[in-house]
Structure formats: structure tokens, C-alpha cells
């Protein structure tokens, strides 16, 4: 009987193993690479060997040899950031969970021997978890949904890093441009302060005007120090995101932001695009599908949570009689007297409803975020373009006219210096407006594809205790 049972159990196990998942060569990174390539057109790499690390280092050094663009900074971060590599390690762990959950439960073999007064008894048992074996296809499907979620979470971590790098890059470059502007302004202010001091010594300038020129120089000096500190901090943040060590910290950045694009993007279907492409929404949809399957499994097994079948073979030898064999089986199952599964079914149903409401809320928020991101993008473009087309050219004309009038002695030096202060304020406003535009451009991309700051309950899958029989599988 035991041999027949063991053979039957092995046959069932063989059929189950035929549908088991196996480890992929790249730990599921192909899906992450495809999503990343479609969204931001960048390469990703899961570094697991020394050769892979060497190839990544060579690529990073090649990119660092030139002045960094925003695209090259993003590419360096995607290859070199160790936090992103840790996210890919989590993906590999998720694949291990998938393989484990798709394996049938191992049968348990036990043997015992009891002797006394010359008699002996040998008992052999093969025990199989029939319930775990019967529910294996359902649990395997749920595990595949979970693994697909893990792939999307890895892709989402990739997009978030890329978005963070873009923001840090634009802030660092804007910081450099502000430092260059204020350095020139400080030199001008210093010259005028020295001139004011000399005129004061001759009695040609009163103390009030002297103080005005001195305070402008002092304020410009303080602003320059603040700008340098801000630029250094933003550079360090960019270095952290790119995962740079000592050898790569001397990377070069442009000293000015690029000009605005000739025309802004027109995205009439941005809400639909965001709902269709947002990775956090895709994760939530997969979570809902997995919970639905878990709910069905819980309802199907609500009354029976334990079903073990054992084949028994016992051989008894007594000195006073001939040896004899006994064969039989043992079935263990749980009687639902006190707990008929209502608690597990209620938990599974409420967990599903929770995920459904979270998904609906997230979809509403995604549409709103997309609309708001596009409005901010267009308004910042219009403001920066207004500085570029109207304010800065007018300031240039005013400065040239003031210099002409100063040369013909129609205005004095202090009127010219007053105009210089106003032009400096306009130039600082223009730099700030362009920085805001490029940041809004980065935020617009994250609003459509995902990669913004994590929102509570938006991308963290709800832990499900629904399919209790799943605990018995995959050893």
C-alpha cells in the first residue's frame, strides 16, 4: 500500500512540476529593461558579476570624461546607483519566491523501529499534503502576479531615480549659472563701492549714497556666498544620485541652462496617457487581480484548511509467531466546528475592497496630477519665455541707452548703477524661471509615466493573508 501511495504521489507531483516556474537568466530584468527603454530610452544593468561591474565602470568613466548633459547624468545613475541595484536584488528575491510558490510540497517520509522482549516492529510512512497539491495551480498564478508586480516596482524605482537625477541636474546647472552671474555682479559692485568711497573722501558724495553703494556690494557678496553653497549642495546631491565615489567627483557641468525649446509640447490626451501608462497604476491593477484570485481560493478552501494523506506499512516480528505485515492509510483533516472560514473569507474580501478603493483613488489622483503637471509646465514655459523674449531684451536696450547717456554726460554714474541693480534682478529672475521650466518638464514626464514621489498606499502591495493553503506549498 505504501509503495502504491508513494508512486501515486510521485505521479501527481510530476504533473505539478511540469507547470513549475524556473529561474530566468536575467532575474526578470528583461521586462524592466523594456519598460525603461520605452519610457526614458536609457539602458539599465543588474550587476551580478565582476565582468559586469567592470563593463559598468568603463561606461561610467566614458560618460564622465565629457561635460555632463542631463541624459548622460541619468544614464550614469541608472548604471551606478547602488540603491537601484538593491531594488533589482529585491526583484531577484521576488523571482525566488515565484519559483518556491510554484513547487509542489515535498512528501514526508518517516520510519520507526520499536523492539522489546525479543519482538520488533518497523513502521514506514509517506505523508503528502493533498490540499497544497490540489491548490498549487491557483497559488502559482497568484505568485506570477506578484512577480509581475515586483518587475513593475523595479521599473518604478528606475523611473524615480531618473526623475530625481533630472531635478538635481537642473538645480545644479542653474546654481552654476547663478554663481557666474553673481560673480560678475560682485566685481561690478566692488568697483562702484570703491569709487563711492573715493568720491566720499573728496566730498563729492554724501554718506547716504556711499552707504547705498556699500550695502549693494555687501548684499551681492552675501548672495554670491549663498549661491555657491547652494550650487555645491546641489552638485553633491547629483553626485550621490549618480553613485559616484572619490574618482568621479570632479565631473564637469555646464555653466548655464540651455535655451528654452522653440515651442512647448501639446498633450491633449495627457489624462488618458497617464491612466494607461502610469506604472503605479499598473502595479495596483495587478494587485487587485492577485487579490481576486486569492479571494476565490480562500472561498474554495474555507471549510478545509488541512488535508494530509499518509500511506502506512508496518512489519511486526514476534519470536513466538511468524512475522506479519500491515498496510493502510491515514487521513488528517480539520473539522470546521468553531471556525468555518468566515474570518479568512471576510479578511480576504475586505483586503480586496481596500485594494479596489485604493486603485480608484489613485486613478482619480493620477488624472489630477497629469492635468496639474501640464498646467505648471505650460505656465512656467510662458513665464520663462516672457523673460527671454520681453524682459531681458528690454533690459539690454535700457542698459545700452543708459551707457550712451552716461557717455554724453546726460546721466550720472549712480543712475547707471541703479539700472545695473535692476538688470541684475531681471537676470536672476530669468535664471529662476528657466530652472522652474526644466523642473516642470521633468515633473510632466513623471506625471505621465510614473516615477514621482511615492504616495501612501499607491505602490506598496497590500500583504494578503487570504490564501491560507498557500503556506503549505513550495518547499
Amino acid at each position: 500500500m505504501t509503495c502504491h501511495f508513494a508512486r501515486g504521489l510521485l505521479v501527481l507531483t510530476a504533473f505539478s512540476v511540469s507547470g513549475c516556474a524556473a529561474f530566468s537568466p536575467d532575474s526578470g530584468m528583461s521586462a524592466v529593461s523594456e519598460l525603461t527603454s520605452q519610457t526614458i530610452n536609457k539602458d539599465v544593468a543588474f550587476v551580478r558579476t565582476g565582468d559586469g561591474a567592470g563593463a559598468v565602470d568603463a561606461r561610467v568613466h566614458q560618460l564622465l570624461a565629457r561635460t555632463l548633459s542631463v541624459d548622460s547624468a541619468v544614464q550614469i545613475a541608472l548604471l551606478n546607483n547602488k540603491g537601484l541595484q538593491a531594488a533589482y536584488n529585491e526583484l531577484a528575491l521576488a523571482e525566488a519566491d515565484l519559483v518556491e510558490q510554484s513547487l509542489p510540497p515535498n512528501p514526508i517520509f518517516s520510519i520507526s523501529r520499536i523492539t522489546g522482549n525479543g519482538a520488533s516492529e518497523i513502521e514506514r510512512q509517506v505523508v503528502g499534503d493533498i490540499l497544497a497539491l490540489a491548490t498549487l495551480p491557483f497559488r502559482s498564478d497568484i505568485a506570477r502576479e506578484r512577480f509581475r508586480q515586483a518587475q513593475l516596482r523595479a521599473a518604478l524605482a528606475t523611473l524615480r531615480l531618473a526623475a530625481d537625477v533630472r531635478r538635481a541636474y537642473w538645480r545644479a546647472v542653474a546654481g552654476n549659472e547663478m554663481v557666474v552671474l553673481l560673480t560678475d555682479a560682485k566685481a561690478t559692485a566692488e568697483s562702484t563701492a570703491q569709487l563711492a568711497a573715493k568720491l566720499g573722501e573728496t566730498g563729492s558724495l554724501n554718506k547716504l549714497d556711499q552707504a547705498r553703494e556699500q550695502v549693494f556690494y555687501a548684499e551681492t557678496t552675501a548672495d554670491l556666498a549663498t549661491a555657491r553653497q547652494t550650487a555645491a549642495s546641489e552638485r553633491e546631491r547629483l553626485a550621490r544620485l549618480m553613485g559616484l565615489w572619490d574618482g568621479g567627483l570632479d565631473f564637469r557641468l555646464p555653466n548655464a541652462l540651455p535655451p528654452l525649446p522653440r515651442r512647448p509640447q501639446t498633450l491633449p490626451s495627457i489624462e488618458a496617457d497617464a491612466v494607461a501608462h502610469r506604472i503605479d497604476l499598473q502595479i495596483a491593477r495587478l494587485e487587485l487581480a492577485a487579490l481576486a484570485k486569492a479571494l476565490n481560493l480562500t472561498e474554495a478552501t474555507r471549510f478545509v484548511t488541512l488535508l494530509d494523506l499518509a500511506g502506512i506499512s508496518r512489519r511486526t516480528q514476534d519470536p513466538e509467531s511468524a512475522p506479519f505485515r500491515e498496510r493502510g492509510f491515514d487521513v488528517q483533516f480539520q473539522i470546521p466546528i468553531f471556525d468555518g472560514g468566515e474570518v479568512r473569507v471576510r479578511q480576504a474580501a475586505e483586503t480586496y475592497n481596500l485594494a479596489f478603493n485604493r486603485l480608484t483613488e489613485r486613478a482619480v489622483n493620477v488624472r489630477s496630477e497629469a492635468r496639474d503637471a501640464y498646467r505648471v509646465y505650460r505656465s512656467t514655459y510662458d513665464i520663462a519665455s516672457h523673460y527671454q523674449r520681453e524682459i531681458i531684451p528690454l533690459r539690454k536696450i535700457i542698459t545700452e541707452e543708459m551707457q550712451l547717456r552716461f557717455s554724453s554726460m546726460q546721466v550720472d554714474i549712480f543712475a547707471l548703477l541703479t539700472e545695473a541693480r535692476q538688470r541684475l534682478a531681471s537676470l536672476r529672475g530669468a535664471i529662476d524661471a528657466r530652472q522652474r521650466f526644466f523642473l516642470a518638464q521633468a515633473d510632466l514626464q513623471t506625471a505621465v509615466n510614473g516615477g514621482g514621489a511615492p504616495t501612501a498606499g499607491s505602490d506598496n502591495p497590500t500583504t494578503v493573508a487570504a490564501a491560507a493553503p498557500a503556506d503549505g506549498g513550495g518547499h
Side-chain angles (χ1 to χ4, degrees):
M1 176 66 183
T2 306
C3 295
H4 292 302
F5 174 75
R7 283 195 294 270
L9 197 59
L10 288 174
V11 170
L12 287 174
T13 302
F15 280 117
S16 301
V17 170
S18 64
C20 287
F23 287 104
S24 60
D26 60 354
S27 300
M29 281 296 296
S30 57
V32 178
S33 178
E34 182 179 356
L35 281 170
T36 306
S37 177
Q38 292 175 354
T39 304
I40 57 177
N41 195 26
K42 294 291 179 292
D43 298 327
V44 295
F46 186 14
V47 182
R48 308 179 71 178
T49 64
D51 292 340
V56 165
D57 288 342
R59 180 79 182 280
V60 169
H61 287 136
Q62 179 185 10
L63 293 172
L64 288 173
R66 304 186 294 268
T67 300
L68 284 184
S69 66
V70 64
D71 289 329
S72 59
V74 169
Q75 184 61 81
I76 290 171
L78 297 187
L79 296 175
N80 204 46
N81 185 283
K82 300 307 179 187
L84 185 60
Q85 292 297 311
Y88 296 158
N89 290 132
E90 292 179 354
L91 175 59
L93 290 173
E95 186 183 42
D97 291 338
L98 166 63
V99 174
E100 181 185 25
Q101 289 299 320
S102 66
L103 294 174
N106 290 326
I108 300 173
F109 178 78
S110 68
I111 182 170
S112 62
R113 183 174 184 272
I114 302 174
T115 61
N117 295 328
S120 65
E121 181 180 278
I122 299 175
E123 181 178 290
R124 295 182 294 271
Q125 290 190 35
V126 178
V127 183
D129 188 343
I130 304 302
L131 184 62
L133 196 60
T135 59
L136 180 61
F138 303 99
R139 294 185 289 108
S140 181
D141 286 345
I142 294 172
R144 285 188 178 87
E145 297 284 351
R146 299 286 185 225
F147 178 61
R148 178 59 178 160
Q149 283 180 269
Q151 289 179 308
L152 292 177
R153 284 196 296 272
L156 187 59
T158 305
L159 295 183
R160 279 184 178 151
L161 177 62
D164 289 342
V165 171
R166 286 193 194 92
R167 297 185 189 102
Y169 178 87
W170 294 127
R171 290 189 178 105
V173 174
N176 284 353
E177 186 170 2
M178 191 67 72
V179 168
V180 171
L181 175 65
L182 290 175
T183 299
D184 293 341
K186 179 189 174 185
T188 302
E190 184 178 12
S191 299
T192 57
Q194 292 174 353
L195 175 61
K198 291 180 180 179
L199 291 176
E201 292 173 358
T202 61
S204 301
L205 190 67
N206 58 46
K207 290 185 177 181
L208 177 59
D209 291 332
Q210 289 183 59
R212 285 172 175 165
E213 301 312 318
Q214 291 290 339
V215 76
F216 175 60
Y217 171 60
E219 289 174 346
T220 305
T221 302
D223 289 344
L224 176 60
T226 301
R228 284 174 173 165
Q229 180 269 321
T230 301
S233 295
E234 294 299 339
R235 181 185 175 90
E236 283 295 336
R237 175 172 173 76
L238 180 60
R240 289 197 301 271
L241 292 171
M242 292 192 297
L244 298 180
W245 201 249
D246 292 340
L249 294 179
D250 57 347
F251 60 90
R252 299 191 303 274
L253 290 173
N255 286 327
L257 291 167
L260 296 175
R262 296 185 63 180
R263 59 181 59 88
Q265 300 180 57
T266 56
L267 301 173
S269 60
I270 185 171
E271 295 180 52
D273 292 341
V275 172
H277 298 128
R278 280 284 288 260
I279 293 182
D280 50 355
L281 276 182
Q282 296 181 45
I283 293 173
R285 292 187 190 105
L286 285 175
E287 174 66 14
L288 195 64
L291 287 173
K293 293 178 180 179
L295 176 58
N296 292 335
L297 180 58
T298 302
E299 291 176 340
T301 60
R302 63 178 299 179
F303 296 112
V304 180
T305 59
L306 173 65
L307 179 58
D308 290 342
L309 178 61
I312 303 172
S313 176
R314 184 182 296 123
R315 183 178 184 274
T316 304
Q317 184 171 2
D318 193 323
E320 299 179 358
S321 60
F324 62 93
R325 289 180 178 275
E326 298 174 294
R327 294 182 177 87
F329 63 90
D330 177 55
V331 178
Q332 295 185 21
F333 59 90
Q334 194 175 64
I335 301 175
I337 297 177
F338 304 106
D339 183 4
E342 293 88 353
V343 174
R344 291 188 301 113
V345 172
R346 177 63 64 87
Q347 289 174 338
E350 291 304 324
T351 303
Y352 175 85
N353 292 334
L354 183 150
F356 176 80
N357 289 325
R358 286 273 173 82
L359 173 60
T360 306
E361 178 196 28
R362 191 68 193 131
V364 172
N365 292 344
V366 162
R367 291 171 64 92
S368 175
E369 290 168 8
R371 292 193 302 269
D372 186 59
Y374 186 70
R375 277 196 295 264
V376 173
Y377 166 81
R378 283 305 307 264
S379 64
T380 53
Y381 178 86
D382 292 340
I383 293 170
S385 179
H386 184 68
Y387 268 97
Q388 184 172 287
R389 290 183 291 102
E390 301 290 339
I391 298 177
I392 299 304
L394 288 174
R395 279 295 175 193
K396 183 179 180 182
I397 292 173
I398 293 173
T399 299
E400 292 173 352
E401 290 296 323
M402 290 293 290
Q403 288 175 345
L404 289 175
R405 284 164 173 72
F406 175 74
S407 299
S408 61
M409 301 184 68
Q410 297 180 27
V411 297
D412 58 15
I413 182 64
F414 300 109
L416 189 65
L417 294 177
T418 299
E419 168 54 28
R421 293 193 195 97
Q422 294 172 347
R423 184 169 184 269
L424 174 61
S426 296
L427 291 173
R428 295 178 69 175
I431 294 173
D432 184 65
R434 273 186 295 141
Q435 173 185 300
R436 289 177 181 274
F437 165 74
F438 286 113
L439 292 176
Q441 189 178 50
D443 292 339
L444 179 64
Q445 187 171 8
T446 63
V448 175
N449 299 310
T455 303
S458 63
D459 62 332
N460 295 323
T462 306
T463 302
V464 184
D471 295 338
H475 299 288

